[in-house]
Amino acid sequence: MSTATSAEIISLYKRHLSRGRARLAEMAGGAMEVSSQGTRIYTADGIEYLNCGGYGVFLLGHRHPRVTEAVIEQIRRHPLSTRILLEPTAAEAARELASVTPANLDRVHFVNSGAEATEAAIKLARALGKPNLVSTTGGYHGKTMGALTLTAKPLYQQPFQPLLPGVQHVPYGDPDALAAVLRKGENHCVVVEPVQGEGGVVIPPPGYLREVARLCRENGALFVLDEIQTGLGRLGAWWGADREEVQPDILLAGKNLSGGVVPVAAMIATTDAYVPFNRDPFLHTSTFAASPVAMAAATATVQAIREEGLVERAKTLGDSILPAIRTVLTELCPHLVTDVRGIGLLMGIELRDEEIAAELTLELLERHVLVNHSLNAHRVIRLTPPAILSDADTTWLLDAVAEAATALAARHTTHRTTSLERTA
């Protein structure tokens, strides 16, 4: 473990990594995370944090015993492969993942990150003759060049223009707008999320995904469902697709697939959609994709989620925590909060403005609770806690929210009626 001081690490960040990241760390007190276990993060000076952030990665918490042991055993035996011979852990991981995906999504292409999964889907769409991409405003699909084309956020796109051609963005949750685009031709690929995570935990109207699926079928479009953040139990269901009983042509998985131990993601396709990659295994490849150590993590993760009932646990916890947070904020600072929303363990608190959102994040940090801002909606604080929260963890979280809300209300006393109050 590093023995460097916080000041030394910040200096190294400024010199070799990112001055901007270093400045943010200084604003947050310069804490350095050096170890973790379960729901907790520990800093170099011994402070314990409850992790309700991590951008949706830690559904199983940190260092889950089953995943950790599988990875350690694989490292001792065979961590990386030559990519020349067949390698059994990849086949076994594909079988496990396909066993929990919606029907007919049986073809698995493993990659190292969510953005790479998006890139694989874009390339597969082109190989299928569907080069015209359609995504939604507020959606987030990664920041590599192809994925960034789908991520409809000028802040991230403008420095890297021109991006991929032939891309259109339609309002999220609006099937009529999508229909107007798809009726112009049959060479479209539609990429949507069941819930927009980085967009600020935006939940579409009931039946939206079914309408997207229907429109894609009727207009010959390829339907890609990005479940990198929502999949594998985060929403209290195995997939957002399951909530509306839809079957996309391509499903993207990541974050939770890692088990919080080793980065891994995947593009999962139907047999019909996978034809180009099935025919030519060298059409789209990566040296480190499907590494044995990542495959060991993925297999153990799927097994742990299933056998420990973490999908059901995520729903139970979400059904309890979300209304409790809403009640606390309604009572203590309704003039600062415009909405509290979520499904399962993907929850968002929308504040009056970005400054208030930043203050709430720091107030929670002072109470040793880690949360995330939303990359496409800076007024929204996002909570993605593990599905292994104990009763004591839940009490810690709710007490921290109450104390943080009290502190905010004391600093910002101006009152105005908000949607949160009107619906309370």
Side-chain angles (χ1 to χ4, degrees):
M1 186 176 73
S2 172
T3 58
T5 66
S6 177
E8 289 169 337
I9 294 299
I10 287 174
S11 176
L12 288 174
Y13 263 82
K14 289 179 178 178
R15 191 180 314 152
H16 299 297
L17 293 171
S18 166
R19 296 186 66 85
R21 183 73 178 83
R23 285 195 297 270
L24 289 174
E26 288 174 320
M27 290 173 57
M32 298 187 299
E33 58 182 85
V34 296
S35 64
S36 57
Q37 181 63 54
T39 61
R40 311 300 172 86
I41 291 284
Y42 301 92
T43 65
D45 49 1
I47 297 176
E48 183 178 8
Y49 288 81
L50 176 65
N51 184 18
C52 294
Y55 296 96
V57 169
F58 298 102
L59 188 81
L60 278 68
H62 295 267
R63 295 171 56 209
H64 186 283
R66 183 168 190 157
V67 182
T68 302
E69 288 306 313
V71 167
I72 291 172
E73 192 278 332
Q74 189 65 47
I75 288 173
R76 287 176 175 152
R77 181 163 47 85
H78 186 50
L80 290 178
S81 64
T82 66
R83 305 305 301 270
I84 298 172
L85 307 177
L86 294 181
E87 196 282 306
T89 63
E92 292 163 358
R95 177 187 61 198
E96 286 296 326
L97 183 55
S99 74
V100 297
T101 55
N104 300 318
L105 286 160
D106 299 321
R107 302 289 182 166
V108 182
H109 183 93
F110 285 109
V111 291
N112 303 294
S113 69
E116 289 179 62
T118 304
E119 296 287 347
I122 291 171
K123 290 183 70 175
L124 183 54
R126 287 198 167 192
L128 289 165
K130 311 289 183 182
N132 294 328
L133 301 174
V134 184
S135 65
T136 59
T137 53
Y140 185 92
H141 307 284
K143 290 178 180 171
T144 50
M145 291 297 282
L148 183 58
T149 301
L150 294 170
T151 298
K153 183 75 170 178
L155 174 66
Y156 308 131
Q157 289 185 333
Q158 287 176 352
F160 307 105
Q161 297 283 2
L163 299 171
L164 294 183
V167 179
Q168 298 184 68
H169 306 297
V170 298
Y172 185 63
D174 185 346
D176 292 337
L178 177 61
V181 171
L182 296 186
R183 289 178 187 134
K184 297 177 182 178
E186 294 188 354
N187 57 351
H188 289 97
C189 170
V190 178
V191 185
V192 299
E193 300 160 274
V195 175
Q196 289 188 331
E198 299 294 349
V201 192
V202 180
I203 303 168
Y208 173 64
L209 289 186
R210 286 195 296 272
E211 276 297 288
V212 171
R214 181 185 66 81
L215 289 169
C216 287
R217 285 195 306 271
E218 291 181 358
N219 293 279
L222 193 71
F223 177 22
V224 179
L225 192 61
D226 181 346
E227 298 236 31
I228 291 165
Q229 183 164 170
T230 58
L232 292 163
R234 176 58 62 187
L235 300 182
W238 274 102
W239 308 94
D242 296 339
R243 291 171 49 81
E244 295 201 7
E245 299 181 339
V246 299
Q247 179 197 292
D249 300 298
I250 296 172
L251 183 74
L252 306 183
K255 295 189 184 292
N256 287 331
L257 187 58
S258 70
V261 177
V262 176
V264 60
M267 178 192 74
I268 311 104
T270 63
T271 296
D272 288 344
Y274 202 65
V275 166
F277 283 12
N278 213 17
R279 182 190 307 119
D280 184 352
F282 298 105
L283 197 60
H284 181 64
T285 60
S286 166
T287 301
F288 293 113
S291 68
V293 68
M295 298 299 91
T299 297
T301 295
V302 174
Q303 292 172 346
I305 292 173
R306 178 196 292 118
E307 294 173 18
E308 296 178 21
L310 296 184
V311 174
E312 297 79 9
R313 177 68 174 161
K315 183 180 188 307
T316 299
L317 283 169
D319 288 347
S320 171
I321 293 172
L322 184 68
I325 290 176
R326 183 180 291 118
T327 296
V328 167
L329 296 177
T330 299
E331 292 176 353
L332 297 175
C333 60
H335 57 299
L336 302 178
V337 180
T338 61
D339 197 15
V340 178
R341 54 184 178 262
I343 300 176
L345 292 177
L346 177 56
M347 297 173 275
I349 302 171
E350 185 170 344
L351 284 304
R352 189 177 68 191
D353 55 48
E354 295 180 11
E355 290 75 16
I356 300 294
E359 287 186 46
L360 178 58
T361 302
L362 291 174
E363 289 289 346
L364 290 170
L365 188 66
E366 287 187 12
R367 288 154 182 84
H368 302 162
V369 173
L370 302 177
V371 297
N372 290 125
H373 75 296
S374 298
L375 290 175
N376 278 0
H378 296 168
R379 292 193 299 125
V380 179
I381 300 305
R382 196 154 30 108
L383 286 76
T384 53
I388 60 168
L389 287 180
S390 66
D391 290 345
D393 293 331
T394 301
T395 298
W396 182 353
L397 171 59
L398 296 178
D399 286 349
V401 170
E403 292 173 11
T406 299
L408 285 180
R411 284 200 300 272
H412 303 277
T413 57
T414 302
H415 185 279
R416 66 184 181 90
T417 303
T418 68
S419 59
L420 185 66
E421 284 183 293
R422 289 192 293 271
T423 58

